Amino acid sequence: MTATSAAKRGIPDATVARLPGYLRALDGLVAQGVGSVSSEELATSSGVSSAKLRKDLSHLGSYGVRGVGYDVGHLRYQISRALGLTQDWPVAIIGMGNLGRALASYGGFAPQGFTVVAVLDRDPAVVGQRVGDLVVQPMEVLPSLTEGGQVAIGVIAAPAASSQDVADQLVAAGFSSILNFAPGVISVPDHVQVRKVDLATELQILAYHEQRRTSPGADLEVAR
Amino acid sequence: MTATSAAKRGIPDATVARLPGYLRALDGLVAQGVGSVSSEELATSSGVSSAKLRKDLSHLGSYGVRGVGYDVGHLRYQISRALGLTQDWPVAIIGMGNLGRALASYGGFAPQGFTVVAVLDRDPAVVGQRVGDLVVQPMEVLPSLTEGGQVAIGVIAAPAASSQDVADQLVAAGFSSILNFAPGVISVPDHVQVRKVDLATELQILAYHEQRRTSPGADLEVAR
DNA sequence: GACTGTGAATACGTTCACAGCT
DNA sequence: AGCTGTGAACGTATTCACAGTC
């Protein structure tokens, strides 16, 4: 219904959402040449409690050594494998406005196993322009991207008004995972995974807490 | 400890996170000239179940009418008020790389009650450049932004390597809410709210589900 | 008759605290 | 002695289902 349609016999959603954080912390340790960590140390560098970390890792298997800790390299590999990052995931970005360009140029995915293989826009004036190493392609190429059975993740960076339209085209082309940066809800068939990133929502959540700081008990008030 | 340090006698976190979605759906209805909605209709346009919607709204008060539904304008106002959006929130963005520029130029906040009032960068070569309507300022101006007691929300769009440094400067300048786009954890004092938006994390979560689709029961396997 | 608001039931997530292994 | 892995306890979120109101 909403976002994640419950995984049958898999890793709990809350845990999956934290695994990338552990992975990043482990990469930091690898870079520092650290070979082994305790749950306490790894938890601190990931910003969680050690009990939560251990529970999370216990869902992947028993990869620690009692009395010692976790082997950094091995744990890193196991988390990668659990997340499906032993393969590289090609990604297509739709919508080459400010945000789309920023995402396309941002080097942040590549090291994590994601490669932007195509950038598209429906505006003929934008098609053909260079963005980073790529040339903007028209929407018509979408179906060809999924042909090898490879590209499966689409990123919607189009304006809200056309996000449902883009989502429909992604689904029709055979994409099964969508990361949506456009505000608002998009509806897709059950078998398609959608995740949403929304700036305005995040700011509004911060505003709520910020406001509570200054006017504490403004809960029950004259309702008009 | 982690992110949200539990609200005393407030609206549940999960509810707060969904209110912006309801607000957006209500704005759509206002634009269509609709004056009244049922929980079922509003839930559908917000992508949640009607029971969840009603429970969420019940935390704000009783603003519906049994047998009828909710008055769109009044509910919109009540949610705005609960979120603290009856005032406008000035925002400062730190880091004018690709992402920072995209965020600064993105018009998406303004209608929601957020105004980007300052954009900063620590690189002297970037300081002075125009980004949208603003001129990039040096980091030194940070403390002056909070002087009127006004600017309280800072957006970190700097690279991961300097995100902790930027966070420290925001905290020192008196910011009490931070939206962090840089990968990795930042640590701040308890009274500072932090929310994180991380691309790579979202893609990794999608990859997990995507991988499960293709290789279903790859859970217990030879552990090396 | 229609639709809200909510207690009760259930599911999910986190924390505690300790048994079990090295 | 040190640290993991995990059952049991607790807390939070979601769903159900219906009493209450218009």
Side-chain angles (χ1 to χ4, degrees):
Chain A
M1 293 255 142
T2 320
T4 328
S5 61
K8 228 194 275 176
R9 283 201 111 307
I11 301 168
D13 284 350
T15 294
V16 172
R18 283 186 295 264
L19 291 179
Y22 303 153
L23 203 49
R24 183 129 43 205
L26 287 168
D27 284 339
L29 293 172
V30 168
Q32 289 175 237
V34 176
S36 173
V37 257
S38 66
S39 63
E40 193 61 43
E41 295 166 325
L42 184 54
T44 303
S45 20
S46 312
V48 302
S49 71
S50 63
K52 201 186 263 184
L53 174 77
R54 289 201 303 277
K55 223 334 132 48
D56 282 344
L57 295 184
S58 77
H59 290 113
L60 316 191
S62 282
Y63 300 125
V65 181
R66 289 169 201 237
V68 179
Y70 302 89
D71 178 86
V72 172
H74 187 226
L75 184 58
R76 202 209 158 286
Y77 170 72
Q78 291 300 343
I79 295 178
S80 286
R81 196 167 62 93
L83 284 172
L85 302 177
T86 45
Q87 60 185 285
D88 202 85
W89 293 94
V91 168
I93 302 179
I94 325 299
M96 282 297 115
N98 288 320
L99 183 61
R101 278 165 213 268
L103 294 177
S105 318
Y106 175 60
F109 331 103
Q112 310 284 339
F114 298 91
T115 313
V116 179
V117 294
V119 295
L120 335 201
D121 199 287
R122 69 167 177 187
D123 181 351
V126 176
V127 171
Q129 289 181 10
R130 282 201 145 268
V131 171
D133 295 342
L134 299 165
V135 174
V136 181
Q137 297 182 272
M139 296 300 287
E140 287 72 29
V141 307
L142 261 192
S144 70
L145 295 175
T146 49
E147 257 161 31
Q150 283 309 307
V151 188
I153 302 181
V155 176
I156 301 180
S162 52
S163 62
Q164 181 62 60
D165 189 48
V166 172
D168 292 344
Q169 292 186 59
L170 284 170
V171 171
F175 282 77
S176 43
S177 290
I178 295 177
L179 179 53
N180 183 22
F181 281 88
V185 190
I186 56 175
S187 55
V188 296
D190 281 353
H191 69 276
V192 178
Q193 285 289 326
V194 178
R195 292 194 61 91
K196 230 192 85 143
V197 173
D198 184 351
L199 253 302
T201 297
E202 298 298 328
L203 287 176
Q204 288 176 23
I205 296 170
L206 286 175
Y208 168 77
H209 293 289
E210 193 58 43
Q211 165 230 28
R212 272 174 60 79
R213 165 194 322 286
T214 48
S215 58
D219 247 330
L220 293 175
E221 224 180 80
V222 270
R224 207 258 162 74
Chain B
M1 253 164 220
T2 322
T4 328
S5 62
K8 226 195 272 173
R9 282 200 115 305
I11 302 168
D13 284 351
T15 294
V16 171
R18 283 186 295 264
L19 292 179
Y22 303 153
L23 204 50
R24 183 128 46 205
L26 287 168
D27 284 338
L29 293 172
V30 168
Q32 290 175 237
V34 177
S36 174
V37 255
S38 67
S39 63
E40 191 62 44
E41 294 165 326
L42 184 54
T44 304
S45 18
S46 312
V48 302
S49 72
S50 64
K52 202 187 262 184
L53 174 78
R54 289 202 302 278
K55 190 50 117 202
D56 282 345
L57 295 184
S58 77
H59 290 113
L60 315 191
S62 281
Y63 300 125
V65 180
R66 288 167 202 239
V68 178
Y70 301 89
D71 177 85
V72 171
H74 187 228
L75 183 57
R76 202 209 159 286
Y77 170 71
Q78 291 299 344
I79 295 178
S80 287
R81 196 168 61 93
L83 284 172
L85 301 178
T86 45
Q87 61 184 286
D88 202 84
W89 293 94
V91 167
I93 303 179
I94 324 300
M96 284 297 115
N98 288 319
L99 182 61
R101 277 165 214 270
L103 295 176
S105 319
Y106 175 59
F109 331 103
Q112 311 283 340
F114 298 90
T115 314
V116 179
V117 294
V119 295
L120 333 201
D121 200 286
R122 71 167 176 187
D123 182 350
V126 175
V127 171
Q129 290 181 8
R130 283 202 142 266
V131 171
D133 296 341
L134 299 166
V135 173
V136 181
Q137 297 182 273
M139 296 300 286
E140 287 71 32
V141 308
L142 261 192
S144 70
L145 295 175
T146 49
E147 256 160 32
Q150 284 309 307
V151 188
I153 303 181
V155 176
I156 300 180
S162 51
S163 62
Q164 181 63 59
D165 190 48
V166 173
D168 292 343
Q169 293 186 56
L170 284 170
V171 171
F175 282 77
S176 43
S177 291
I178 296 176
L179 179 53
N180 183 23
F181 281 88
V185 190
I186 55 174
S187 54
V188 296
D190 281 353
H191 69 276
V192 178
Q193 285 288 327
V194 177
R195 293 195 60 90
K196 229 193 88 146
V197 172
D198 183 351
L199 254 304
T201 297
E202 297 299 328
L203 287 175
Q204 287 175 23
I205 296 170
L206 286 174
Y208 168 76
H209 295 289
E210 193 60 43
Q211 165 230 29
R212 274 174 60 80
R213 163 194 325 286
T214 49
S215 58
D219 246 330
L220 294 175
E221 222 178 82
V222 270
R224 203 257 163 83

